[in-house]
Amino acid sequence: MTVNTPLCFRGKKILAPMVRVGTLPMRLLALDYGADIVYCEELIDIKMLQCKRVINGKYKVLETVDFVAPNERVVFRTCEKERHRVVFQMGSADAERALAVAKLVESDVAGIDINMGCPKEYSTKAICNSFCIFSQGGMGAALLSDPDKIESILTTLVKGICKPVTCKIRILPSVEETVNLVKRIEKTGIAAIAVHGRKKEERPQHPVHCDVIKAISEAVSIPVIANGGSHDFIKEYTDIETFQKATAASSVMIARAAMWNPSVFRKEGLFPLKDVMQDYIKYAVRYDNHYTNTKYCLCQMLREQLETTQGKKLHAAQSTQEICEAFEMGDFYEETTAIFEAKKTSLETETQDEDDQMEDPDVIKMAVRFDKREYPPQITPKMYLLEWCRKEKHPQPVYETPLDRLFCSVVTVAEQKYRSTLWDKSKKLAEQAAAIVCLRTLGVPEGKLCEGENHLINKRKRKDRERLNNRDHGEDLAEPSHKKANFTEGTSDMNVPKM
């Protein structure tokens, strides 16, 4: 198929794919500072194939395209600002799965990359639990020993999609082996190849093999992207050219130097770290980045400053708001969340208008939201509703929560439907709101702190006392699973595809 994109891999400064670091805020910040192309973190094909593509742009709440897993986690988030410069890197050891993922994301990215250099076990070895397979193994650096599979995956992608295809490898034990492999890869029709100048058993503290990257650059005609220079070469922008000349590469890909300070891409020089971190936080808040990921990336930037007062505040932060407060950005957080709330209110108004046109008279509605601060820890309206249904011998509540830009759930109890008229940002919150509507309609307690004595908490305490008494008498402490279920919200909405 004809490549229909302006993306070019010659003379470029590129943000490398980095697990947990290469999420949307870091990619956008790198582009702001001068990066030409940005790669997302490696995402496993099996995980992506479970995702649904959700557009967050219609009502301009986030203005993103999200790929959302069955458990509601956003696996990949992108936006228009990076669409023509972001390369999607996947981990795959199967040509057909790789093509399926590429087709899923093709319209939202500028290129597709296959990771053939990661030496970590989650890429190279199969990892699974009782629920699903996280990795089928044989990916990353494991592919380097299977050139037939490499050829199959890359050829399938080049023929199957319109966007340019690249791959990222590590060097083999000898220069000759490496050059021969790269020549074979070149014949698949890929647009460029990134070479991390270390062997798969080598780590960042080992010297990068510039001579091997240079030999590759001189042996093939496609662009070669040099990677691995952060330790020995790249500390600021001018060092990028030094590394490029040492490797004779077409372009340079930067990982850890950019992770420590993404303003390494600035021609004018590095920004003070404080300014960089504040710029990063602004993107993290603006695009609703999960606070644990934001915290991780900021910790990588602080490095030796983690023991400072600010570093300790960051380490203790348990929310995006607390992270903002640690960096004296509390006002920014409040202003941004207020804008989000206004946009959501507008969305709810328009959605309500749509609902009015297709009103379902059988659904009891109420304008409520679930606020976990109003409930004891680990006690929720869904638990109370489940307990009430069992007491009244009704079937277990059934929740219907369509996956959309925002969420609204309908719960059916004793053949009657209930839902909140307000939309929530997650499926779990929407289901709790629906449970509240039902409980309030029935006049049943919902477990709020202001309701006084909480019988579910008391029930838990009784069970804890019984277990302690059993322990004192040497009896078996194992609790039957059917009893545990009284206090565990169902996970029946988890869809695991057959492999």
Side-chain angles (χ1 to χ4, degrees):
M1 300 178 73
T2 304
V3 173
N4 183 25
T5 175
L7 193 63
C8 169
F9 293 92
R10 295 190 185 277
K12 305 299 181 183
K13 279 74 177 176
I14 302 171
L15 178 70
M18 290 179 279
V19 173
R20 298 184 68 185
V21 175
T23 47
L24 184 58
M26 180 63 78
R27 300 197 304 266
L28 294 179
L29 192 58
L31 290 173
D32 283 352
Y33 289 150
D36 300 300
I37 299 170
V38 292
Y39 278 57
C40 75
E41 61 177 334
E42 178 195 22
L43 295 169
I44 307 302
D45 56 4
I46 292 177
K47 186 181 293 186
M48 284 299 299
L49 289 175
Q50 297 178 44
C51 292
K52 179 176 180 179
R53 181 178 181 270
V54 179
I55 300 175
N56 264 324
K58 183 177 179 182
Y59 293 92
K60 302 187 183 300
V61 177
L62 288 181
E63 299 176 314
T64 61
V65 176
D66 299 340
F67 293 84
V68 185
N71 65 357
E72 303 165 44
R73 177 173 169 264
V74 177
V75 176
F76 177 59
R77 170 167 286 167
T78 185
C79 66
E80 182 62 28
K81 184 173 181 178
E82 68 168 3
R83 186 160 69 95
H84 298 295
R85 293 195 284 173
V86 62
V87 175
F88 181 90
Q89 188 189 66
M90 80 173 91
S92 181
D94 181 88
E96 294 308 315
R97 276 202 299 269
L99 180 59
V101 174
K103 286 182 176 293
L104 178 67
V105 303
E106 182 179 11
S107 62
D108 302 303
V109 300
I112 301 293
D113 182 84
I114 296 295
N115 181 357
M116 299 181 182
C118 180
K120 302 293 185 181
E121 286 193 356
Y122 68 79
S123 277
T124 60
K125 294 185 178 180
I127 300 173
C128 62
N129 64 12
S130 57
F131 294 106
C132 64
I133 299 173
F134 295 119
S135 164
Q136 79 276 24
M139 304 180 298
L143 285 171
L144 296 176
S145 59
D146 194 344
D148 290 339
K149 186 175 286 186
I150 289 176
E151 186 175 337
S152 172
I153 293 171
L154 295 178
T155 301
T156 300
L157 287 173
V158 170
K159 291 180 178 179
I161 64 173
C162 295
K163 298 295 173 68
V165 177
T166 64
C167 68
K168 183 172 183 287
I169 68 167
R170 282 185 174 239
I171 62 174
L172 297 177
S174 73
V175 177
E176 183 180 6
E177 288 177 274
T178 309
V179 170
N180 287 339
L181 175 64
V182 174
K183 284 183 175 180
R184 186 169 177 179
I185 288 173
E186 181 183 29
K187 291 178 181 178
T188 64
I190 63 170
I193 183 168
V195 181
H196 184 151
R198 292 184 178 87
K199 301 168 188 175
K200 64 181 180 181
E201 66 273 10
E202 293 180 328
R203 293 298 173 261
Q205 65 269 23
H206 293 106
V208 60
H209 299 277
C210 293
D211 57 325
V212 181
I213 301 178
K214 186 175 182 180
I216 295 169
S217 300
E218 293 171 348
V220 296
S221 58
I222 59 172
V224 173
I225 306 166
N227 175 235
S230 292
H231 186 275
D232 300 325
F233 287 87
I234 303 170
K235 302 295 180 288
E236 57 185 352
Y237 183 85
T238 54
D239 299 330
I240 299 175
E241 186 177 355
T242 303
F243 183 52
Q244 185 173 359
K245 288 181 177 178
T247 57
S250 303
S251 298
V252 172
M253 177 179 278
I254 307 169
R256 287 176 307 127
M259 175 180 71
W260 297 327
N261 189 332
S263 68
V264 71
F265 289 106
R266 290 187 77 243
K267 292 180 181 179
E268 302 81 4
L270 294 169
F271 266 141
L273 190 59
K274 179 182 177 182
D275 296 344
V276 172
M277 296 177 83
Q278 288 184 339
D279 286 346
Y280 176 85
I281 290 170
K282 287 178 182 176
Y283 272 131
V285 175
R286 166 68 183 82
Y287 287 100
D288 196 26
N289 200 48
H290 197 280
Y291 86 90
T292 56
N293 180 252
T294 301
K295 182 176 175 178
Y296 176 82
C297 292
L298 291 171
C299 285
Q300 305 313 304
M301 296 183 203
L302 272 181
R303 299 170 72 194
E304 65 274 3
Q305 299 179 43
L306 280 171
E307 293 303 314
T308 63
T309 301
Q310 187 175 60
K312 289 178 180 177
K313 286 182 179 179
L314 173 63
H315 192 265
Q318 294 298 311
S319 67
T320 298
Q321 183 173 3
E322 290 180 9
I323 291 173
C324 289
E325 289 168 354
F327 287 84
E328 301 177 350
M329 296 178 67
D331 290 344
F332 171 80
Y333 177 82
E334 295 294 340
E335 292 168 5
T336 306
T337 50
I339 292 171
F340 282 163
E341 286 303 317
K343 289 180 176 180
K344 279 196 278 189
T345 300
S346 174
L347 166 61
E348 288 162 3
T349 301
E350 295 193 33
T351 303
Q352 185 62 54
D353 292 341
E354 294 174 6
D355 289 348
D356 291 342
Q357 295 173 12
M358 52 182 77
E359 189 70 27
D360 185 346
D362 296 329
V363 180
I364 295 176
K365 303 183 185 71
M366 195 180 295
V368 298
R369 273 208 178 93
F370 171 67
D371 185 343
K372 67 179 181 181
R373 293 171 296 185
E374 297 179 351
Y375 298 83
Q378 300 180 348
I379 297 296
T380 67
K382 285 182 69 175
M383 291 180 178
Y384 262 74
L385 183 56
L386 179 61
E387 184 84 356
W388 181 84
C389 287
R390 286 176 173 159
K391 180 180 176 183
E392 298 296 322
K393 298 191 177 354
H394 289 307
Q396 182 171 321
V398 176
Y399 294 87
E400 301 172 56
T401 315
L403 187 62
D404 203 346
R405 53 190 180 271
L406 288 177
F407 298 85
C408 187
S409 181
V410 176
V411 62
T412 302
V413 175
E415 299 184 356
Q416 176 62 58
K417 295 182 178 182
Y418 306 83
R419 79 167 177 86
S420 171
T421 58
L422 304 180
W423 291 66
D424 274 295
K425 64 181 181 180
S426 83
K427 179 171 176 284
K428 291 179 181 177
L429 292 175
E431 291 179 354
Q432 296 291 0
I436 292 172
V437 174
C438 179
L439 290 166
R440 290 185 185 178
T441 301
L442 297 170
V444 177
E446 61 194 72
K448 295 178 74 170
L449 290 166
C450 62
E451 291 176 354
E453 187 176 15
N454 189 306
H455 78 275
L456 277 185
I457 291 180
N458 292 337
K459 195 169 182 179
R460 281 187 165 183
K461 287 179 178 178
R462 285 197 303 273
K463 286 190 174 292
D464 288 342
R465 284 197 296 268
E466 289 171 5
R467 294 178 71 186
L468 286 173
N469 289 336
N470 290 340
R471 183 182 299 170
D472 291 340
H473 291 87
E475 295 179 20
D476 186 7
L477 298 181
E479 187 175 355
S481 59
H482 71 275
K483 290 186 178 181
K484 289 183 181 179
N486 287 333
F487 305 101
T488 305
E489 293 178 25
T491 56
S492 59
D493 57 337
M494 175 67 78
N495 297 316
V496 181
K498 295 179 180 179
M499 298 310 303

